C-alpha cells in the first residue's frame, strides 16, 4: 500500500514539473510567477500580483487554467463596476413571472481580478468576502463557490490616478503578494519573436485534473515541519512586531505595524508547498526564507520616515532574515 502511495506521489510531483514546462511553451520568463500561483493553488491561498502592464499576467493565468483544466474568468475592475457585476443578481423572468438567479463571473475556479484597485470599496469587499467565505449570497440564497477557487488580483503600481488602494486589512487576506518584474533581454527577445508571429500556437495540453489537485493538497498538508522551524516562523513574525527585542534598532524606527497571525500560517503552508514541489516531504529553513518576502511584504506597514529614507519592506525583511537565528 505504501509503495502505491509513493508511486502516486512521485507521479503527481512529476506532473507539477510538467505544468511548469507546459506553461513555458506559451509564457516566457515568468517561472517565478507560475511557481507562486501553484503554491497558492496547492495551499488554498489567494495571490496578489503587482507589476506594470504588459508583463503577461493575464496570459500566464489563462494558460495555467488551460493546463489545469479549470474554469477561468477575467474581470476588468473599473470605477463603475457594481458588486452584482461580480457575484451575480436576481433577474425577473417575464415569461414565468418569477425571479431567477443570474450568477456572476465569480463562479469559476480561477478568477483574475484585473486592476483590482480601479474599483471602489463596495466591489472590493464583495470580492474579498467571496475569497474568505468561499460562498456568495444572491437574494436570499447562499451558493457555495466551486472548488478549487483561487483569486488572482493584479495591481498597477505606476498609475495611481483614479484608483482605490486596497486597505491594509483587506490586503492581508491575500496569501502572497508577488512582485512581477520585467523580463531579461534574452527573454524579451524570445517574447517578441513569439508574439509577433501571428501563427504562434497558444494551445497547451491538460496536465492536472481537479481530483489530482486535491490529492496534491493532501500531500502538501502531510509535509513534515519540525518544531524548531515552527518556532523559527514565530520568531520571524515577532521580529516585525517587536524589532528592538531582536537587535533591529534601525528597523524599529521604520516599522509602524508588524505582520498579522495570517503571516505565520501562510509561511508554514507556503514552505510546505515549496518543499513538496522540490520533491521533499520535509521543510528546510531555505523553504521558509524563499517565501518570506512574498508572505510578509504586504503585511508590514512602514511609516513616513521609511518612505523619506527610501527604505522598503524588502530591506526590512532581508535584515530580519539575517538577524533572527534558527534555534
Amino acid at each position: 500500500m505504501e509503495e502505491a502511495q509513493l508511486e502516486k506521489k512521485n507521479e503527481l510531483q512529476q506532473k507539477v514539473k510538467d505544468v511548469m514546462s507546459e506553461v513555458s511553451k506559451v509564457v516566457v520568463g515568468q517561472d517565478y510567477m507560475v511557481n507562486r500561483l501553484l503554491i497558492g493553488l496547492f495551499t488554498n491561498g489567494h495571490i496578489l500580483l503587482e507589476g506594470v502592464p504588459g508583463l503577461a499576467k493575464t496570459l500566464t493565468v489563462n494558460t495555467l487554467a488551460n493546463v489545469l483544466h479549470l474554469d477561468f474568468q477575467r474581470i476588468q475592475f473599473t470605477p463603475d463596476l457594481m458588486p452584482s457585476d461580480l457575484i451575480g443578481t436576481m433577474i425577473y423572468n417575464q415569461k414565468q413571472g418569477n425571479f431567477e438567479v443570474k450568477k456572476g463571473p465569480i463562479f469559476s475556479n480561477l478568477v483574475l481580478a484585473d486592476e483590482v484597485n480601479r474599483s471602489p470599496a463596495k466591489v472590493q469587499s464583495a470580492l474579498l468576502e467571496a475569497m474568505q467565505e468561499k460562498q456568495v449570497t444572491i437574494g436570499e440564497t447562499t451558493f457555495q463557490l466551486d472548488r478549487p477557487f483561487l483569486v488572482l488580483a493584479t495591481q498597477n503600481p505606476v498609475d495611481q490616478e483614479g484608483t482605490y488602494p486596497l486597505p491594509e486589512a483587506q490586503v492581508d487576506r491575500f496569501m502572497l503578494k508577488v512582485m512581477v518584474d520585467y523580463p531579461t533581454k534574452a527573454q524579451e527577445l524570445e517574447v517578441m519573436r513569439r508574439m509577433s508571429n501571428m501563427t504562434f500556437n497558444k494551445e497547451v495540453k491538460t496536465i492536472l485534473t481537479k481530483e489530482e489537485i486535491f490529492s496534491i493538497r493532501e500531500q502538501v498538508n502531510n509535509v513534515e515541519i519540525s518544531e524548531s522551524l515552527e518556532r523559527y516562523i514565530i520568531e520571524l513574525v515577532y521580529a516585525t512586531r517587536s524589532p528592538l527585542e531582536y537587535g533591529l534598532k534601525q528597523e524599529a524606527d521604520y516599522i509602524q505595524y508588524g505582520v498579522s497571525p495570517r503571516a505565520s500560517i501562510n509561511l508554514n503552508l507556503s514552505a510546505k508547498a515549496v518543499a513538496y514541489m522540490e520533491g521533499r516531504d520535509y521543510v528546510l529553513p531555505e523553504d521558509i526564507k524563499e517565501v518570506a518576502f512574498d508572505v510578509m511584504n504586504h503585511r508590514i506597514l512602514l511609516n513616513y520616515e521609511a518612505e523619506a529614507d527610501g527604505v522598503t519592506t524588502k530591506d526590512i525583511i532581508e535584515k530580519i532574515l539575517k538577524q533572527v537565528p534558527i534555534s
Side-chain angles (χ1 to χ4, degrees), residues 142-154:
T142 299
F143 300 91
Q144 297 294 324
L145 295 172
D146 195 14
R147 296 174 62 239
F149 174 66
L150 183 66
V151 170
L152 310 161
T154 70

Side-chain angles (χ1 to χ4, degrees), residues 281-301:
D281 57 1
Y282 56 90
V283 174
L284 294 175
E286 288 73 19
D287 300 329
I288 298 170
K289 292 178 179 179
E290 182 178 332
V291 294
F293 177 69
D294 295 321
V295 171
M296 296 200 292
N297 78 84
H298 56 302
R299 294 187 163 94
I300 297 176
L301 185 60

Side-chain angles (χ1 to χ4, degrees), residues 22-80:
E22 194 67 22
V23 172
S24 66
K25 291 179 181 178
V26 177
V27 182
V28 179
Q30 295 296 357
D31 292 347
Y32 182 85
M33 177 166 52
V34 176
N35 177 275
R36 290 325 190 236
L37 295 181
L38 290 176
I39 287 175
L41 182 67
F42 297 152
T43 56
N44 203 22
H46 307 287
I47 311 292
L48 181 61
L49 302 171
E50 184 165 299
V52 297
L55 296 182
K57 297 186 289 293
T58 304
L59 178 64
T60 302
V61 177
N62 196 358
T63 305
L64 183 62
N66 291 333
V67 173
L68 300 174
H69 196 59
L70 297 176
D71 294 330
F72 169 73
Q73 288 285 351
R74 174 182 175 272
I75 307 167
Q76 181 65 53
F77 277 59
T78 55
D80 61 345

Side-chain angles (χ1 to χ4, degrees), residues 247-262:
L248 298 163
K249 186 176 183 303
Q250 190 175 15
E251 285 68 28
D253 296 333
Y254 296 134
I255 299 175
Q256 186 172 355
Y257 293 106
V259 300
S260 73
R262 284 193 181 105

